[in-house]
Amino acid sequence: MSPVALKAYLPWVSLIEPLWGGDGRLADGRVTLHGSAVAGAYSEITHKRVREAHKPDVADRVIASMQHAIDIRSAVIGVSDERHVMPHVRLHILYMPLSEDGETVNRFFSYVRLDPLD
């Protein structure tokens, strides 16, 4: 894979640091990188926690999606119809757990794609 080929996708990429609860499960996440296109489509949330940046129901879905990725040890894709924004869009978001030691998830890579709805 060529880094040049990735250039067009980078504005839609975010990195999220997991924040663990006392039970060892994901409690929240801190956005360490938020791509310019995602920020433009929604808002800039770099350095904010997921639960701080989103409404409770949205934050719960994000955390649940990332926890599911941890549980199955694989990437997951969440889909949501966003009808409260104009134009109406379908949001696809990939959550990919990353690990430096091959065991503990220390970061999530996320990629957003927006498709127009009729």
Side-chain angles (χ1 to χ4, degrees):
M1 181 177 293
S2 165
V4 173
L6 292 176
K7 187 176 179 180
Y9 298 98
L10 292 178
W12 295 99
V13 168
S14 295
L15 296 176
I16 305 163
E17 172 191 353
L19 300 173
W20 304 102
D23 60 358
R25 294 183 61 79
L26 189 65
D28 204 344
R30 184 177 326 283
V31 178
T32 57
L33 173 87
H34 200 234
S36 60
V38 183
Y42 292 97
S43 64
E44 174 55 62
I45 61 171
T46 300
H47 304 298
K48 291 186 179 180
R49 292 184 326 274
V50 170
R51 294 196 182 282
E52 170 186 18
H54 297 291
K55 294 178 183 177
D57 61 323
V58 173
D60 287 346
R61 284 195 313 262
V62 170
I63 299 300
S65 295
M66 292 190 298
Q67 182 62 56
H68 185 62
I70 293 167
D71 293 344
I72 65 171
R73 302 180 66 88
S74 185
V76 299
I77 297 174
V79 180
S80 173
D81 288 355
E82 304 285 327
R83 296 193 181 274
H84 63 280
V85 297
M86 290 301 289
H88 298 158
V89 294
R90 177 163 290 138
L91 167 72
H92 294 83
I93 186 163
L94 167 76
Y95 297 102
M96 184 182 312
L98 304 174
S99 173
E100 290 178 7
D101 64 8
E103 189 63 33
T104 304
V105 173
N106 63 318
R107 188 164 293 125
F108 285 89
F109 171 93
S110 81
Y111 174 75
V112 170
R113 188 180 89 203
L114 297 174
D115 295 319
L117 288 173
D118 296 330

